[in-house]
Amino acid sequence: MRRNLQDGQRLRPIDLARGYGLSTQAVRNYEAAGILPEAERTPHGYRTYTPLHAKALNAFLALVTGHGHQTATSIMQAVNRDATEDALRLIDESHAQLLDDRRTLQAVKAALRDLEPVPSERGDTFVGPLSRRLGIRPATLRKWERAGLVQPRRDPQTGYRVYTAADVRDALLAHQLRRGGYLLEQIAPLIVQVRRAGGVAPLESMLRDWRARLSARSRAMLTGAAALDAYLACRPEAAGGRPGAGAIASPVVRPSSG
């Protein structure tokens, strides 16, 4: 049965680590990275943590699921250097990216819904204009070509790659799916099937999975926000600058005996 950590209780690194299934080295690394507040030291130099550190660790691990490790780290670093506005801005940017990803999903669905055979004699373009349209490097288009995502022909006189309207459509579709987090080896066979079938059935399950992952990420952001809010409420700044004031019991960590 888990035991609560009361205000003022001191924890060894192993006490904090065990409550989250981590190693003591991981806890020390999080402290060194600024994810956790700096620990106090005993007269012999040993680290001691408090329920406030448990709240910080809980917040970070919850934020990672929704925002990713890098953004979660930056959020916690900002909070711990008393730059809460910077932390909130990072959270806002992450939410904006999620909204953009949802719009991308809708754009993919719309593109597939309207997918029709395109006459090869119109819409020809070259690697430079197409890469600028997509906002990617020409080298990325060449990489996609090697992976089978696009199949431009070569101009017989200049040797330049020539992208037909159908190639542009495939490149746009590949770009949108890459933004959805899919790998080249996952996208290539689907584009081949779309070319052959002239339809979107092969992508329906992928779109459902993409939508489910966005929803899971959104829920994870809510969980992370609650955990971060609990940590912010316990920080000394939230209690008029009284160190340790506001630190409440943590339901997660189980201190070891001794």
Side-chain angles (χ1 to χ4, degrees), residues 58-68 72 75-76 91 220-221 224-225 227-228:
N58 190 61
F60 171 70
L61 296 176
L63 289 168
V64 165
T65 305
H67 298 272
I75 290 169
M76 295 302 296
I91 292 171
M221 284 182 171
L228 180 63

Side-chain angles (χ1 to χ4, degrees), residues 170-187:
D170 293 343
L172 289 169
L173 181 57
H175 184 52
Q176 290 168 330
L177 291 172
R178 285 290 289 146
R179 290 194 59 191
Y182 290 92
L183 303 176
L184 297 183
E185 53 265 33
Q186 294 174 306
I187 298 172

Side-chain angles (χ1 to χ4, degrees), residues 5-18 20 22-42 45-57 231 247 253 255:
L5 294 175
Q6 300 303 321
D7 185 14
Q9 183 173 345
R10 298 295 169 175
L11 305 171
R12 299 171 301 169
I14 194 171
D15 298 327
L16 189 58
R18 282 177 176 172
Y20 294 90
L22 301 172
S23 67
T24 55
Q25 186 59 53
V27 172
R28 288 192 290 267
N29 290 344
Y30 288 155
E31 181 190 345
I35 293 168
L36 303 181
E38 185 177 355
E40 295 183 5
R41 297 278 185 157
T42 68
Y46 295 113
R47 289 176 173 85
T48 61
Y49 295 107
T50 68
L52 184 64
H53 292 90
K55 286 287 184 183
L57 184 55
Y231 174 53
V253 178

Side-chain angles (χ1 to χ4, degrees), residues 228-245:
L228 180 63
D229 184 64
Y231 174 53
L232 289 171
C234 293
R235 283 178 54 77
E237 293 74 14
R242 292 181 288 113

